[in-house]
Amino acid sequence: MILKNYCLKMEAREFWKFVTTKKKEIDEMRNVLPVALTECVDPAKFAMEAISEVFPVDKRKDKSSNDLGWACVLVLESLIPVVVDPVIGKSRLLVTPTVKAKAKEIAETWKASLEERGGIENVKTPDVHTFLQHLVTFGIVKKEDVNLYRKLVVGSAWRKQMPKLAVSLGLGDKMPVEEEDDTGYLFVLLAACPWLEFWLVKMIEELISRGQQLDAVHFTYEVGLVGRFPPVPLLKAFLKDAKKAAASILEDPNNAGRAGHLAARKEQSALRAVIKCIEEYKLGAEFPPENLKKRLEQLEKAKIEKKKPAAVPATKRTRASNGGPMPPAKAGRLTNAYVSSFPAPPTFVRSPSHTQYPAGVSPYASPPAVYGNRSPPTNPYAYSPEAAPPLAGSYPGAPMNYPAYGGYGAGLAPAYQQAYYR
């Protein structure tokens, strides 16, 4: 009901926002959208305006957000049954000349943007799919662009819709778009057009030569050429190439430290894809997947083992850091030795150019003789020699001796020496 209201009021922006939130319900949307689009005054113009936010150029500020190519393709596919003439069929589309001219302009804009994107090889598959579906939906396929279409299809051949799109695009000199049957089934076309089979064979051979055996298998099933290209040898060749690629990763010095991880991930990806293909096309009798699954389990177990932290032998310090008892530090070989937690006082060198101070005269204030039960001060000197004012002359005197701290260092030499210059 919501979609019909948007279409009836030609609110393309709101319609687009609603569609992009329904990716998880895409199968249901395929049934609902064509019905809703019939409520539009101009369905073709409405659909073109709806997807204009991302096609032919993404106009969003945050282009790194979710890819909406799937929504573009969904809207364009849903438009086809709406614009087809109910009497004449696909040979005549109910698209006004103005809308068709706009569709051609959009296609040229997209082609011009290929260079900015780094060429055909760097274009994202959803963008390619949207462009090709745009051509088919609006009936604006150009014969002079056949080579471009072929390269785009081969580059995105892993998508299941590509074989049917290839036929719809009319990638041969003799095939118009309208020769595709209403159900999208290709076997009738292959029987009626031997040249089409020749062209598809060439495309599949190109996929195989590029190391895309898995894509070739999907392609052969879609176009009915399984007999010409048996799938099992292709799948085995795909696995063999994946193992070679993994071995080359291990030998690459640029991957030192993570080569094992990258090689295992490469092989795991290939194994999963082949197992899925065997199950999808029921090839278990010809290619039992048990050994592949065992190998996949081995790689996954090895990955888990590598993630486990290495065992570190417990030491005294390790136990202390983990909350265990901390053994006392060794105090030395003297039985009554005292180990102070304070830093050792710096060593000063007596200057030979100055005489000793006379007895009873000290340039520094005398510290307390005994500290009792208190800890000694952090700085064992009342004043630093650098902070003392310069002396006008030297005074004869004897060295000062301080008594030992109360309760500390019994029997040891005095901790304080006479005043020295650095």
Side-chain angles (χ1 to χ4, degrees):
M1 186 66 181
I2 297 176
L3 283 173
K4 285 187 176 182
N5 288 335
Y6 290 148
C7 293
L8 188 62
K9 297 176 182 179
M10 293 292 285
E11 295 178 353
R13 193 68 178 270
E14 299 300 322
F15 171 87
W16 174 249
K17 289 180 180 178
F18 182 84
V19 171
T20 55
T21 62
K22 300 294 181 180
K23 187 174 184 178
K24 294 182 179 180
E25 305 169 22
I26 191 169
D27 292 332
E28 181 182 349
M29 295 296 289
R30 290 184 193 280
N31 299 325
V32 174
L33 279 180
V35 178
L37 287 173
T38 56
E39 302 293 331
C40 294
V41 177
D42 191 341
K45 181 180 178 181
F46 180 81
M48 204 156 43
E49 289 178 355
I51 66 175
S52 62
E53 184 183 15
V54 294
F55 182 79
V57 179
D58 195 340
K59 300 173 185 175
R60 293 176 296 174
K61 293 182 180 179
D62 183 12
K63 294 181 174 59
S64 62
S65 56
N66 295 334
D67 190 350
L68 298 178
W70 65 271
C72 294
V73 173
L74 177 63
V75 172
L76 291 171
E77 286 178 343
S78 301
L79 182 62
I80 292 177
V82 180
V83 297
V84 168
D85 191 302
V87 178
I88 301 177
K90 291 184 180 180
S91 59
R92 181 182 176 184
L93 299 177
L94 302 178
V95 179
T96 63
T98 304
V99 172
K100 196 164 189 175
K102 180 64 176 177
K104 290 180 180 179
E105 182 183 336
I106 289 174
E108 293 300 321
T109 301
W110 190 90
K111 287 191 295 182
S113 69
L114 285 177
E115 294 183 3
E116 299 177 4
R117 305 184 190 196
I120 295 175
E121 295 79 10
N122 296 319
V123 182
K124 296 180 180 179
T125 297
D127 293 341
V128 172
H129 194 172
T130 302
F131 170 69
L132 297 179
Q133 188 63 58
H134 174 81
L135 299 177
V136 173
T137 299
F138 290 99
I140 53 175
V141 176
K142 297 173 68 173
K143 291 183 179 181
E144 54 267 32
D145 288 338
V146 166
N147 288 332
L148 172 63
Y149 304 156
R150 181 183 61 81
K151 291 178 182 178
L152 293 173
V153 169
V154 171
S156 304
W158 57 271
R159 285 214 168 188
K160 290 186 176 181
Q161 298 95 327
M162 284 299 158
K164 296 177 182 179
L165 267 179
V167 175
S168 300
L169 287 167
L171 298 180
D173 295 334
K174 299 180 181 179
M175 182 180 178
V177 175
E178 60 267 21
E179 282 193 29
E180 184 185 6
D181 66 320
D182 292 338
T183 61
Y185 218 58
L186 305 180
F187 299 110
V188 176
L189 288 172
L190 292 174
C193 306
W195 62 267
L196 178 59
E197 181 177 351
F198 172 80
W199 182 86
L200 291 173
V201 166
K202 289 295 182 184
M203 180 176 285
I204 294 171
E205 289 175 349
E206 184 174 352
L207 290 173
I208 295 171
S209 66
R210 294 175 56 171
Q212 297 176 240
Q213 295 93 338
L214 200 65
D215 296 336
V217 170
H218 292 306
F219 218 96
T220 56
Y221 273 95
E222 287 296 322
V223 300
L225 293 175
V226 179
R228 186 77 174 264
F229 298 94
V232 173
L234 291 176
L235 294 177
K236 290 182 178 179
F238 177 74
L239 287 174
K240 187 177 180 181
D241 289 350
K243 288 182 180 180
K244 287 182 180 179
S248 65
I249 291 173
L250 291 173
E251 296 172 359
D252 188 354
N254 296 325
N255 294 324
R258 59 193 188 109
H261 170 70
L262 295 175
R265 190 170 65 179
K266 177 72 174 177
E267 189 174 354
Q268 282 178 308
S269 177
L271 287 169
R272 290 192 186 98
V274 171
I275 292 171
K276 183 179 179 181
C277 190
I278 291 173
E279 294 173 350
E280 182 177 357
Y281 298 118
K282 297 178 175 57
L283 299 172
E286 302 176 54
F287 194 0
E290 285 73 20
N291 291 335
L292 303 181
K293 291 179 179 179
K294 287 180 181 178
R295 176 58 180 163
L296 185 60
E297 289 177 3
Q298 291 175 356
L299 293 172
E300 291 175 347
K301 286 181 180 179
K303 182 179 179 181
I304 294 173
E305 290 296 327
K306 286 183 180 179
K307 287 185 177 181
K308 289 183 179 180
V312 179
T315 62
K316 294 179 180 179
R317 297 287 172 181
T318 305
R319 290 197 301 270
S321 63
N322 292 332
M326 177 65 183
K330 293 183 179 179
R333 294 186 178 159
L334 294 176
T335 306
N336 297 325
Y338 166 71
V339 181
S340 175
S341 61
F342 296 95
T347 303
F348 297 95
V349 180
R350 180 182 303 180
S351 172
S353 62
H354 294 78
T355 60
Q356 296 181 350
Y357 292 105
V361 179
S362 173
Y364 308 113
S366 299
V370 178
Y371 292 96
N373 294 328
R374 293 178 298 164
S375 299
T378 303
N379 183 2
Y381 300 93
Y383 303 98
S384 76
E386 289 81 0
L391 298 176
S394 61
Y395 299 92
M400 296 177 294
N401 295 325
Y402 297 113
Y405 295 134
Y408 295 102
L412 297 179
Y416 290 91
Q417 305 294 333
Q418 64 188 46
Y420 297 129
Y421 287 99
R422 288 186 183 275

